[in-house]
Amino acid sequence: MRRLFVALLLFSIVLIVSQSVAENESIVEQFEELTVQSDSTAGYLSGNVSSLDSIFLKMMELRGGSLDKLTILHIGDSHIQAGYLTGEVRRKFQHDFGNAGRGLIMPLKILGTNEPSDYAIISPNNWIAASCSKWEPSFDVGLGGIAIATGDKNIVFSIKSYETPFNQVTAFHHAQAPLLVEDSIWSIGSVCDYFSTDMSTHIVLNQTTDSVVLRGDLSDPDYRTPIFFGFSLENGCGGVLYHSVGINGCSYEHYNRSPQIASQMSLLGANLIIVSLGTNDSFGRRFSAENSYNSILKFVKSLQENNPDAVIMLTTPMECCTRRVVRGRAVYSVNKNLSRVRDNIIRVADELGLVYWDMYSAAGGEGAMNKWYKDKLAQRDRIHLTKEGYAMLGDMFYEAFINSYNCYVVRDK
């Protein structure tokens, strides 16, 4: 029976991968026509890949129907905030292993910045904002690296998910924030159950929807600190829940300056935490390779201490450029510090026994950014990619992850 089960499971995996390849045929064909040349490391993960064995096993169990949920948290900077890269990865994971919901969403537009296009958080209240990317945030940020606060007595959040319906909402907030409730006639309301904590409120709905309105007020004198961090949307189905946290301009040092971020991230219960930082660490006249290494090590260790049951995975940033003006014209040069940050990330991964994906090499190594720009996959600043570029990078990352997963499945049989 066990051999029959393994054979059926392998057949299902081959079928899933074949479907994914067929769906992405146009992307693959486009990539083959580009002048961008990827390193051979693009196809697999590196470092201590066996540290992912528990994650790969959970993925197998999801396919077999014996596991309810696999939770992934992806942390980063502006490359993550826009949602193009993580959106591509999330959709592929959920297509192949089940969709457990949209995951973490943050009020980034209320904050005054860009947010992914697959959700919207709207509020009529007057908000002030704080971000860990600022040297001195006006008040403490939360698990997503940001926070919003208001002095209004009646609070309203209208939340809409454009891709994935949901029937559960978890609100993340200050410990003395007013309670948020869904007040429509079909709402069960807020519950103080196992999933709620001092800094999170689990709200259960009695039907699946793509939008919800949450309300709160300051009538309770013990809960008059209306500071909110974000929301998680789930649907109660088995599959992958893919959270992403990305803040424009953030570096390892920014996250280190707000240690409560790593602590509060434990509220998400992630099985796998992926860290995609390093680009912003490579800029600045005072760049120090030693300081870069220390910042990376400090943040990763903080994640490990606060999330002891999670597997930590690192990715290196791809090459970027610096800009200077010469005789009235912008001149772009390769940012040499980026490769030093990349080396430090790999060094930390090796020292701590972590798995990593070398995006720097996979994207083409030195000289890659100008090639991506030439092929209309990178923006003019030679730091950020286009929507198509991020989608391609997400596709490359998922391919490397799945190739390593398939090696585990073959080995496990």
Side-chain angles (χ1 to χ4, degrees), residues 8-67:
L8 290 173
L9 184 60
L10 287 173
F11 175 77
S12 298
I13 291 169
V14 171
L15 180 61
I16 291 169
V17 174
S18 298
Q19 290 173 342
S20 294
V21 170
E23 290 178 353
N24 296 307
E25 185 176 353
S26 61
I27 294 179
V28 173
E29 290 176 351
Q30 179 187 3
F31 184 74
E32 289 175 346
E33 294 174 357
L34 299 173
T35 59
V36 175
Q37 297 296 319
S38 293
D39 186 271
S40 60
T41 55
Y44 292 90
L45 305 179
S46 302
N48 184 17
V49 182
S50 63
S51 67
L52 285 172
D53 283 0
S54 62
I55 304 301
F56 292 156
L57 178 60
K58 290 180 185 297
M59 292 165 66
M60 290 182 65
E61 291 173 343
L62 279 177
R63 291 303 310 156
S66 60
L67 182 71

Side-chain angles (χ1 to χ4, degrees), residues 240-353:
V240 174
L241 189 65
Y242 201 102
H243 302 295
S244 61
V245 171
I247 302 298
N248 292 344
C250 260
S251 64
Y252 278 99
E253 183 56 31
H254 284 120
Y255 281 103
N256 286 330
R257 289 204 306 266
S258 299
Q260 74 276 10
I261 296 176
S263 175
Q264 290 181 31
M265 281 178 172
S266 63
L267 296 172
L268 297 173
N271 304 113
L272 171 64
I273 298 178
I274 305 168
V275 183
S276 295
L277 288 164
T279 299
N280 295 300
D281 299 77
S282 68
F283 285 91
R285 296 180 179 179
R286 298 182 179 180
F287 172 80
S288 163
E290 181 179 0
N291 289 342
S292 163
Y293 164 78
N294 290 332
S295 293
I296 298 166
L297 184 64
K298 181 178 180 180
F299 183 60
V300 173
K301 283 189 172 182
S302 179
L303 286 176
Q304 290 180 318
E305 291 169 1
N306 288 284
N307 303 270
D309 297 326
V311 177
I312 309 295
M313 176 181 180
L314 307 181
T315 75
T316 65
M318 73 172 290
E319 184 188 72
C320 63
C321 296
T322 59
R323 177 182 180 273
R324 59 192 176 93
V325 177
V326 178
R327 295 179 181 178
R329 298 185 62 181
V331 177
Y332 297 90
S333 304
V334 171
N335 181 355
K336 299 294 184 181
N337 292 335
L338 195 286
S339 62
R340 299 183 179 97
V341 174
R342 173 252 187 182
D343 292 343
N344 282 335
I345 291 173
I346 294 176
R347 176 184 171 188
V348 169
D350 288 340
E351 290 178 354
L352 299 182

Side-chain angles (χ1 to χ4, degrees), residues 12 16 20 69 74-75 94 103 140 177-178 196 232 238 246 279 310 369:
S12 298
I16 291 169
S20 294
K69 184 170 61 178
H74 201 146
I75 305 169
Q94 293 181 339
D140 283 347
S196 296
S232 178
T279 299
M369 181 52 72

Side-chain angles (χ1 to χ4, degrees), residues 27-40 42 318-319 357 359-378 385-386 388-389 392-393 396:
I27 294 179
V28 173
E29 290 176 351
Q30 179 187 3
F31 184 74
E32 289 175 346
E33 294 174 357
L34 299 173
T35 59
V36 175
Q37 297 296 319
S38 293
D39 186 271
S40 60
M318 73 172 290
E319 184 188 72
W357 185 54
M359 185 190 301
Y360 179 87
S361 295
E366 185 173 351
M369 181 52 72
N370 284 323
K371 295 176 182 178
W372 283 64
Y373 177 69
K374 178 181 177 181
D375 292 313
K376 298 181 174 22
L377 294 172
L385 303 183
T386 62
E388 295 76 17
M392 183 169 294
L393 205 58
M396 292 167 63

Side-chain angles (χ1 to χ4, degrees), residues 80-84 86-87 90 102 104-106 108-109 113-121 162 244 246:
I80 301 301
Q81 178 173 324
Y84 298 131
T86 49
R90 183 182 69 253
R102 173 54 176 84
L104 184 65
I105 61 174
M106 298 189 295
L108 295 169
K109 282 192 176 179
T113 185
N114 61 299
E115 69 184 20
S117 60
D118 67 310
Y119 73 84
I121 304 174
Y162 295 108
S244 61

Side-chain angles (χ1 to χ4, degrees), residues 183-245:
D183 60 358
S184 70
I185 59 174
W186 49 269
S187 169
I188 296 176
S190 301
V191 291
C192 296
D193 59 9
Y194 173 80
F195 299 102
S196 296
T197 70
D198 288 344
M199 303 191 76
S200 65
T201 302
H202 187 224
I203 302 167
V204 180
L205 310 175
N206 63 11
Q207 73 177 49
T208 300
T209 180
D210 63 0
S211 61
V212 70
V213 177
L214 305 179
R215 302 180 187 273
D217 62 69
L218 304 183
S219 59
D220 190 332
D222 294 326
Y223 295 94
R224 291 185 174 176
T225 309
I227 299 177
F228 299 91
F229 309 134
F231 307 89
S232 178
L233 309 180
E234 298 187 43
N235 56 29
C237 299
V240 174
L241 189 65
Y242 201 102
H243 302 295
S244 61
V245 171

